[in-house]
Amino acid sequence: MQHKLFIIFLIISYNTYSQFGPQKIITESANGTRVIFSADLDGDGDLDIMSANKFGSSLTWYRNLDGYGTFGPENLIAILDQTIWISAADLDGDGDMDVLAVSGPQNRVAWYENLDGQGNFSSLKSINGGADGASCVIAEDLDGDGDLDAISAADLSNTIAWYENTDGQGDFSNAKIIDNTIGSPRFVMSADMDGDGDLDVLGNGSSPLIAYWMENMDGQGTFGTRHVITDSGAYLNVVFAADVDNDGDMDVFSASPADKEVAWYENLDGLGNFGSKNSITSTLIDAWTVFVADLDNDGDNDVLATNADPFGGEVVWFENLDGLGSFSTKKIISTEVQSPRSVIAADIDNDGDMDVISSSQNDDKIAWYENLTIIGIEENQLDNIKIYPNPTTRLIFIESKTENILGATIFDILGKNVLQEIGNIQEMDISHLQSGMYFLRIKTDSGEFVQKIIKE
């Protein structure tokens, strides 16, 4: 993997603010784009953008040419009838990112192999050709064997199922039913909801109107108890799991178009027992989707959402004001969109903060918005903190002459917390992390400092 962009490693003092720059167009010809996803498809160390285009019946991707957010033309992954979902993961264990997708009319859950690690893909590899009304697919290791399985939601068959990666090379088992008693599940996500170290499954449904999670009973993909998060209000179009109150467990977020509402539900005990609804906003017309990330680099999670008005719309965010889940009023990122159906956050320009990417169905547009948090912040080269070796394959050492270190956290380039240690630590073992770029945030009595690190 090349690391041409990461020659200089700066430690940056986080006297933060967050604002977003003007809309930067990636494409205006994504025909009916529904879902976008960010991943390094060509193995050059920066993040590219993928899109599922319903009306174009295509899966496409756009190369980040320079690591700073200059995108190339459309690259076709595949033609798939009325594609409405796309995601990426290394399904065959060869170190590059493959693509997963669904087609509702074909009842198809499928994947495409990244043949050369540079974004040239195979023909369709079927996971399930009988997922009636397939609506979503993701990859996670549900059985704890070290490879990535697939999880799908199918609207018409009322089924959430998973498929075991039987050999770690992308050969999948028949569907293993997680739940088939909740009407119209259209979204699925995986997270450890009960703190037992394995991955559970989070879903939604319309009959009844419900958000719920299914417990991975043995860490090997045997699912049992259904835990209701909420069963009131209108249909929750999207649910999302993240820690919003900094207590170390997974809370749940939802977007409900009919209620004009984005809300969150507190995981009260870390075991997956949830409190009542905390409304973030109830005035967001057609609140279509929600995504959670630290947008202002203050160490807590903020919330992204969209208003998917067919002839207009908004991409907005809500600041986590106290790190405990008290949110600001709506902050508008863009109104230059028509029916934005997807919004995500990722570091597109490799400057250490989370940019925002949106796709809008009715203007065929995919665009990104630069997070200006880092711009203009004083760069503080700390002579009294030394971080080495960098790059590294296993251990990274933190040496301080005068600073009292309180803890350190490592984030991936999507902003996910992948390793955290508390106290006056002197080393961190990152051997389990995949190769690539990460951000090491060190907390001291003097403040918080961030440095880019490379895991080889």
Side-chain angles (χ1 to χ4, degrees):
M1 181 178 291
Q2 301 176 18
H3 302 303
K4 59 183 181 294
L5 299 176
F6 316 130
I7 299 172
I8 299 174
F9 300 91
L10 298 179
I11 297 178
I12 302 170
S13 176
Y14 267 61
N15 301 313
T16 61
Y17 59 91
S18 183
Q19 63 185 63
F20 292 90
Q23 185 179 82
K24 299 185 179 185
I25 301 297
I26 298 174
T27 183
E28 293 182 281
S29 58
N31 192 359
T33 176
R34 290 294 295 267
V35 170
I36 51 175
F37 196 89
S38 182
D40 181 8
L41 293 183
D42 54 1
D44 63 354
D46 54 48
L47 291 173
D48 311 299
I49 298 297
M50 308 152 53
S51 176
N53 309 309
K54 180 179 180 181
F55 304 141
S57 295
S58 64
L59 304 166
T60 55
W61 75 280
Y62 304 85
R63 189 188 308 270
N64 190 341
L65 297 174
D66 55 6
Y68 295 103
T70 302
F71 286 89
E74 173 185 288
N75 297 289
L76 182 66
I77 298 170
I79 299 296
L80 186 64
D81 188 22
Q82 293 190 41
T83 54
I84 59 172
W85 193 269
I86 192 168
S87 59
D90 183 6
L91 297 177
D92 52 3
D94 63 355
D96 56 41
M97 300 298 282
D98 309 301
V99 169
L100 299 97
V102 300
S103 166
Q106 290 186 5
N107 304 320
R108 177 77 65 185
V109 180
W111 75 284
Y112 302 85
E113 181 184 356
N114 193 336
L115 296 172
D116 55 4
Q118 298 180 29
N120 295 301
F121 290 90
S122 71
S123 57
L124 182 147
K125 296 174 181 279
S126 184
I127 297 174
N128 186 356
D132 195 10
S135 53
C136 178
V137 61
I138 61 171
E140 294 283 3
D141 183 7
L142 288 186
D143 53 3
D145 63 354
D147 56 42
L148 293 175
D149 311 300
I151 315 166
S152 70
D155 184 2
L156 298 180
S157 60
N158 303 327
T159 300
I160 292 179
W162 76 282
Y163 313 85
E164 183 183 356
N165 192 339
T166 57
D167 58 1
Q169 298 179 29
D171 292 315
F172 290 93
S173 70
N174 293 329
K176 300 185 178 187
I177 303 302
I178 297 174
D179 188 276
N180 59 0
T181 63
I182 299 295
S184 299
R186 296 175 186 170
F187 185 87
V188 66
M189 185 175 182
S190 184
D192 183 4
M193 305 303 295
D194 52 3
D196 62 355
D198 56 43
L199 290 173
D200 309 298
V201 169
L202 177 67
N204 66 345
S206 66
S207 179
L209 297 166
I210 192 172
Y212 65 100
W213 67 278
M214 299 294 297
E215 184 176 351
N216 192 339
M217 305 297 290
D218 55 5
Q220 299 179 32
T222 302
F223 288 87
T225 307
R226 180 200 302 145
H227 301 267
V228 175
I229 298 167
T230 181
D231 58 0
S232 61
Y235 181 73
L236 304 179
N237 193 52
V238 170
V239 289
F240 197 98
D243 182 9
V244 70
D245 51 4
N246 281 311
D247 61 356
D249 55 41
M250 290 289 104
D251 308 301
V252 169
F253 297 78
S254 65
S256 175
D259 286 336
K260 306 177 182 180
E261 188 168 51
V262 176
W264 74 280
Y265 307 83
E266 183 182 357
N267 191 335
L268 296 174
D269 52 7
L271 302 175
N273 296 301
F274 286 85
S276 57
K277 178 173 66 178
N278 299 288
S279 182
I280 298 172
T281 182
S282 58
T283 60
L284 191 64
I285 299 171
D286 210 357
W288 190 266
T289 192
V290 62
F291 190 96
V292 182
D294 183 2
L295 298 176
D296 52 5
N297 286 310
D298 63 352
D300 55 44
N301 278 319
D302 310 296
V303 171
L304 279 166
T306 65
N307 160 17
D309 187 295
F311 303 104
E314 299 171 308
V315 179
V316 301
W317 74 286
F318 302 87
E319 181 184 356
N320 191 341
L321 296 172
D322 56 4
L324 301 174
S326 299
F327 287 92
S328 70
T329 56
K330 177 178 71 177
K331 300 186 178 188
I332 296 175
I333 297 173
S334 180
T335 58
E336 298 178 273
V337 287
Q338 293 183 22
S339 192
R341 299 297 183 97
S342 184
V343 65
I344 60 175
D347 186 6
I348 293 299
D349 52 4
N350 287 301
D351 65 353
D353 54 32
M354 300 296 282
D355 308 300
V356 170
I357 311 97
S358 69
S359 66
S360 37
Q361 175 181 278
N362 291 0
D363 57 8
D364 299 328
K365 185 185 291 184
I366 302 173
W368 75 283
Y369 314 87
E370 183 180 359
N371 191 333
L372 303 177
T373 298
I374 299 300
I375 303 301
I377 294 178
E378 179 184 358
E379 294 172 352
N380 184 8
Q381 298 277 12
L382 291 183
D383 293 330
N384 55 353
I385 291 184
K386 184 179 180 182
I387 297 171
Y388 65 94
N390 194 3
T392 184
T393 58
R394 181 171 174 261
L395 293 177
I396 189 157
F397 295 94
I398 304 170
E399 184 178 302
S400 174
K401 297 178 181 178
T402 60
E403 293 286 337
N404 181 28
I405 295 175
L406 303 177
T409 306
I410 295 177
F411 299 89
D412 65 17
I413 54 179
L414 294 175
K416 182 180 179 181
N417 180 340
V418 295
L419 180 62
Q420 186 173 36
E421 295 188 16
I422 298 173
N424 188 15
I425 61 173
Q426 297 178 345
E427 65 181 52
M428 299 182 80
D429 186 350
I430 63 172
S431 59
H432 65 288
L433 299 180
Q434 293 185 351
S435 298
M437 185 184 75
Y438 296 86
F439 296 96
L440 172 61
R441 174 181 290 165
I442 302 170
K443 186 175 182 180
T444 75
D445 286 335
S446 300
E448 292 185 343
F449 308 92
V450 170
Q451 180 170 352
K452 291 178 183 177
I453 60 173
I454 298 294
K455 164 66 188 308
E456 291 186 328

